Amino acid sequence: MGDRTHTHTGAAGRATAAGRPDSIRNVVLVGHSGSGKTTLVEALALTAGAVNRAGRVEDGSTISDHDEIEQRGGRSVQLSLVPVEWNGYRINLLDTPGYADFVGELRAGLRAADAALFVVSAAQEAGAVADTTRALWEECAAVGMPRAVVVTHLDTARTPFDEMTRVCGRLFGGDDPDAVLPLYLPVQGPEGPDGHAPLTGLTGLLTRRVLDRSSGERQEAAPAVDQRGALEEARDRLIEGIIAESEDETLMDRYLGGGEIDTGTLVGDLERAVASGSFHPVLAVAPAVRGARRGIGTVELLDLITAGFPSPVERVPPAVTTPEGAARPAPVCDPGEPLVAEVVRTASDPYVGRVSLVRVFSGTLRPDEAVHVCGHGLTGPGGGTRPRHEADVRVGALTGPFGARQRPLDSCVAGDLACVSKLGGAETGDTLSGTGDPLLMEPWNMPDPLLPLAVRAHGRTDEDKLSQALGRLVAEDPTMRLEQNRDTRQVVLWCMGEAHADVALERLRTRYGVQVDAEPHRVPLRETFASRATGYGRHVRQSGGHGQFAVCEIEVEPLPAGAGIEFVDEVVGGSVPRQFVTSVEKGVRTQAARGVVAGHPLVDVRVTLLDGKAHQVDSSDAAFQTAGALALREAAAGARVELLEPVAELGVLVPDDYVGAVMGDLSGRRGRVVGTEQATDGRTLVRAEVPEAEIGTYTIGLRSLTHGTGRFDRAYARHEPMPARLADHLRESPKSGTNGP
């Protein structure tokens, strides 16, 4: 990470880098929306010589060419891979969306990468950075990801660089803010008419040299006299931070005793600390500078990636088992070992069909080889599922993405990534292994989608294509669940938020040619008797030949919640022949399933058959079923019937500052707070019971209330009586009001 000769490799260098796992670096860029991740990727590609100054590759496309949804919406909604070469290394840059709805794409990037660049914008207020980036940092920390921080937009900064580094140290360093420190100080020119000072260069803290690019080319110089005080103060703090992470325990004593520690030793310790994830350097980058062939800080950032970030060989791979669950040795990042790979993203191409982005953890993936595909079975919060599946398939073409083109590849070795076409029914998260030794990698942690989107086909022609299109949509996106709700007879897509739902609808229309209409999501209600009642069912008809004759008398009484429906026979004297008692029960249960008031299933009652009448010729099974149903309806007409609504148990994890607002909001949703627990890092877990009709859009409400820092999970608790006011409204218009606010 010191001063070096900077060159980029050509085609031969690319082949060499891609063939050795130790020369590969897989880096994911994460950060809040608008922080400049995609612009930074383009600047790194320009610096590495992968694109020209217009940002275009050989075929004239740009590396940031995305689908029409991204172009129209002006924001990233999917993970994209941009490979570049630098000094004999292959760097796979994984650009992720910054919007919270697409956290699934972020976690796919984390799974595929071995290190992360955390991009924050100085154009935002420091407080805004705190609200929007802390959760993303925790996503990386949870998987032990080595991280560096890149500060962008210093030319339009609302927050000065030194303040931004203090914010990052406080937010990301936790108990050790000195684990997040800058390697360079930005040098800014005079303010322009707009009041902004452009970035003109960097001052290396370890080398004490200014890397000036104000002329468009890199020039080295000594720091100005007025810069030396801030330089030495920041340098001392950086050296102390590096020494604190050093394995050489004598360095601190030497340094505190006034001894000079050579730069080579410091750089070596710094690189080891970064690779282990115990130290997180901060760099200032200005991707686009007028007159400069390369952006400021991009060379230094590429050097950090190649020298400080770990190779795939150094990272601990995910655990593997057999499909039956038996533990197996961890994969070894060696091209000669048995194949273990994973589908980290799935997309549909209008010309080649399904395309899978695959990370190879062990072995070598080659075109036209047979592999075993194995996928986990998953269950969503609304009952939507992904079935467990496995099959032997033949690998299609291997390609490397760049711009609008896919460059053919002969193979993909351990540690590298490639796109694979025609991989059968492989879905995101599936494991690829040898056909003779099937394996399954442990699943990555994906958030549950908690926003329901009920859809129906717009027309008859859309009905024929809807099922297949929805299946392909959820196969591509592991943060989406498909539910066929038998109670409400709705097709429900469970999404991460409004933007996620909008993208799903747009992809159904543009990618699969299916027009759908969204409709209010309905929760499954139940009915029950609140008091004892009797009913009389008489079904008598004469129409020539055999007629229909059945009479029965029943009594209905409420039971405790969860008891279901009990049927008791107390007929004496044979007034209802034995063979027709079961017919009455069938009629009662069939009517109970249809409901007796508002068309919702009847539960938690005991139905007792008291008496009845039969005809020797005209009585039949069908007649007594009808009489049983009539008797139950008559009993309901003379009793108080309650509507039961589902209640969910919520666990809401929020920063302490928002606990009061969250509890007040839950109360406004007819919720009952049942307790709070102190969590780590200044957070509180609020537990509550809330009617499901009130939390249909809670994902959106909580995000707004906590500025994106809160999250929650939910689980079905029970059904309980709905307030009379709401129940009466539903009885008047049974199809309205069952979706949450």
Side-chain angles (χ1 to χ4, degrees):
M1 286 181 234
D3 299 329
R4 304 176 184 181
T5 301
H6 306 290
T7 60
H8 64 273
T9 56
R14 285 197 292 270
T16 303
R20 301 196 322 269
D22 61 352
S23 66
I24 298 172
R25 299 292 184 270
N26 297 311
V27 182
V28 60
L29 285 83
V30 299
H32 55 277
S33 183
S35 59
K37 298 183 297 298
T38 301
T39 303
L40 178 60
V41 168
E42 293 170 348
L44 293 175
L46 172 63
T47 299
V51 296
N52 58 31
R53 289 193 59 190
R56 298 192 175 275
V57 293
E58 297 166 358
D59 63 356
S61 63
T62 66
I63 59 174
S64 58
D65 279 346
H66 299 309
D67 64 22
E68 60 181 27
I69 296 176
E70 293 190 324
Q71 294 171 3
R72 192 160 50 246
R75 63 183 172 198
S76 296
V77 300
Q78 62 187 14
L79 175 72
S80 62
L81 169 64
V82 177
V84 300
E85 308 294 329
W86 185 252
N87 289 340
Y89 291 87
R90 176 186 178 89
I91 304 174
N92 290 316
L93 298 170
L94 293 150
D95 186 14
T96 64
Y99 197 66
D101 279 13
F102 306 104
V103 66
E105 300 286 328
L106 167 65
R107 294 193 182 180
L110 294 178
R111 182 69 161 207
D114 304 306
L117 289 177
F118 203 80
V119 186
V120 298
S121 171
Q124 287 193 329
E125 298 288 349
V129 174
D131 283 337
T132 57
T133 58
R134 183 175 177 180
L136 294 178
W137 183 270
E138 290 174 354
E139 293 285 345
C140 300
V143 294
M145 185 77 65
R147 283 146 283 157
V149 179
V150 178
V151 180
T152 60
H153 302 153
L154 281 169
D155 53 339
T156 58
R158 295 182 185 178
T159 305
F161 180 76
D162 56 348
E163 174 62 20
M164 185 62 67
T165 58
R166 283 194 291 271
V167 169
C168 292
R170 185 175 69 252
L171 289 176
F172 308 145
D175 296 333
D176 185 13
D178 286 341
V180 183
L181 294 172
L183 301 183
Y184 302 86
L185 294 182
V187 179
Q188 293 181 272
E191 288 187 1
D194 57 0
H196 298 306
L199 195 65
T200 60
L202 300 173
T203 301
L205 295 182
L206 295 182
T207 61
R208 294 189 176 100
R209 302 292 292 175
V210 175
L211 309 175
D212 181 48
R213 289 190 180 274
S214 57
S215 64
E217 295 295 330
R218 171 175 163 148
Q219 297 178 341
E220 292 192 19
V225 175
D226 60 351
Q227 297 175 335
R228 291 175 184 172
L231 169 63
E232 291 303 319
E233 180 181 350
R235 185 176 191 272
D236 289 343
R237 192 178 177 195
L238 174 62
I239 292 176
E240 291 177 8
I242 295 173
I243 292 175
E245 303 295 338
S246 174
E247 297 176 357
D248 187 348
E249 298 179 357
T250 66
L251 287 183
M252 184 61 76
D253 293 336
R254 287 167 49 193
Y255 179 71
L256 294 177
E260 187 69 23
I261 301 174
D262 66 277
T263 302
T265 299
L266 291 172
V267 169
D269 283 341
L270 172 63
E271 291 173 352
R272 284 188 289 273
V274 172
S276 67
S278 60
F279 186 85
H280 313 292
V282 182
L283 292 87
V285 174
V289 179
R290 187 183 301 274
R293 189 171 65 87
R294 294 169 171 171
I296 293 175
T298 54
V299 168
E300 291 72 21
L301 183 53
L302 288 168
D303 282 345
L304 170 66
I305 291 172
T306 55
F309 282 167
S311 72
V313 179
E314 301 170 74
R315 298 290 294 154
V316 177
V320 296
T321 65
T322 65
E324 295 74 28
R328 295 294 300 273
V332 177
C333 188
D334 186 330
E337 290 289 317
L339 175 68
V340 182
E342 187 174 41
V343 178
V344 295
R345 189 177 186 280
T346 309
S348 292
D349 186 277
Y351 302 105
V352 300
R354 185 177 295 185
V355 178
S356 303
L357 177 61
V358 174
R359 160 76 191 254
V360 180
F361 288 92
S362 177
T364 301
L365 185 65
R366 296 182 176 87
D368 204 37
E369 278 190 345
V371 299
H372 186 80
V373 176
C374 189
H376 297 272
L378 301 172
T379 301
T385 61
R386 291 170 180 265
R388 171 77 175 270
H389 56 274
E390 54 181 309
D392 290 342
V393 302
R394 189 164 295 279
V395 176
L398 294 187
T399 56
F402 217 91
R405 279 177 31 185
Q406 296 282 336
R407 295 176 174 175
L409 299 176
D410 294 331
S411 64
C412 181
V413 301
D416 209 351
L417 294 104
C419 291
V420 184
S421 62
K422 299 178 181 177
L423 200 54
E427 301 179 358
T428 301
D430 285 3
T431 303
L432 310 183
S433 56
T435 55
D437 187 19
L439 297 173
L440 185 63
M441 303 190 80
E442 67 176 353
W444 14 306
N445 183 27
M446 297 297 287
D448 283 330
L450 296 169
L451 180 70
L453 173 66
V455 297
R456 64 173 181 269
H458 181 72
R460 185 170 295 277
T461 57
D462 298 308
E463 289 180 2
D464 299 333
K465 300 183 291 183
L466 179 59
S467 178
Q468 182 180 11
L470 289 174
R472 294 176 66 180
L473 193 66
V474 298
E476 294 176 10
D477 189 347
T479 61
M480 190 174 290
R481 299 281 187 269
L482 178 62
E483 175 194 1
Q484 304 272 357
N485 194 302
R486 291 178 297 179
D487 290 327
T488 63
R489 295 182 292 280
Q490 285 187 310
V491 176
V492 182
L493 276 175
W494 288 86
C495 306
M496 297 299 300
E498 281 184 306
H500 195 207
D502 290 343
V503 167
L505 293 175
E506 187 70 4
R507 283 182 174 156
L508 285 172
R509 184 182 66 83
T510 60
R511 186 176 292 177
Y512 302 114
V514 180
Q515 292 282 358
V516 298
D517 298 320
E519 60 183 9
H521 174 246
R522 297 192 293 272
V523 299
L525 302 179
R526 301 287 185 265
E527 300 172 357
T528 193
F529 278 61
S531 60
R532 188 186 301 263
T534 58
Y536 182 80
R538 183 175 184 274
H539 182 62
V540 178
R541 288 187 180 177
Q542 294 295 332
S543 57
H546 282 297
Q548 298 184 51
F549 185 93
V551 177
C552 65
E553 182 180 354
I554 64 172
E555 180 183 67
V556 185
E557 57 186 314
L559 292 178
I565 295 180
E566 293 183 11
F567 185 84
V568 179
D569 173 22
E570 291 189 357
V571 173
V572 295
S575 57
V576 177
R578 303 308 313 162
Q579 69 269 27
F580 295 136
V581 171
T582 56
S583 302
V584 175
E585 181 178 359
K586 284 181 184 178
V588 166
R589 291 188 180 276
T590 300
Q591 185 63 52
R594 297 180 183 141
V596 293
V597 173
H600 305 291
L602 180 71
V603 296
D604 304 334
V605 295
R606 177 185 291 120
V607 179
T608 303
L609 178 59
L610 301 175
D611 199 1
K613 293 180 183 180
H615 188 276
Q616 188 173 3
V617 176
D618 293 341
S619 290
S620 65
D621 171 67
F624 271 99
Q625 286 193 44
T626 302
L630 290 172
L632 185 61
R633 290 207 297 267
E634 184 181 271
R640 185 165 62 89
V641 177
E642 291 182 329
L643 287 185
L644 305 178
E645 61 180 342
V647 175
E649 293 179 347
L650 262 61
V652 188
L653 185 64
V654 295
D656 293 343
D657 293 343
Y658 299 111
V659 171
V662 166
M663 292 174 66
D665 179 68
L666 291 172
S667 297
R669 296 173 183 268
R670 298 192 286 124
R672 297 182 297 273
V673 176
V674 297
T676 60
E677 301 173 18
Q678 193 63 41
T680 58
D681 300 327
R683 292 172 177 258
T684 297
L685 179 64
V686 180
R687 297 194 178 278
E689 295 179 345
V690 189
E692 288 191 8
E694 300 288 344
I695 57 172
T697 58
Y698 189 57
T699 294
I700 302 168
L702 181 64
R703 185 177 298 163
S704 174
L705 199 63
T706 64
H707 300 280
T709 59
R711 60 179 183 268
F712 76 102
D713 55 50
R714 55 178 283 187
Y716 169 76
R718 62 188 173 276
H719 274 71
E720 63 180 34
M722 178 181 287
R725 169 180 56 85
L726 296 178
D728 291 342
H729 174 69
L730 288 181
R731 289 189 183 99
E732 295 170 3
S733 52
K735 290 189 177 181
S736 67
T738 53
N739 57 301

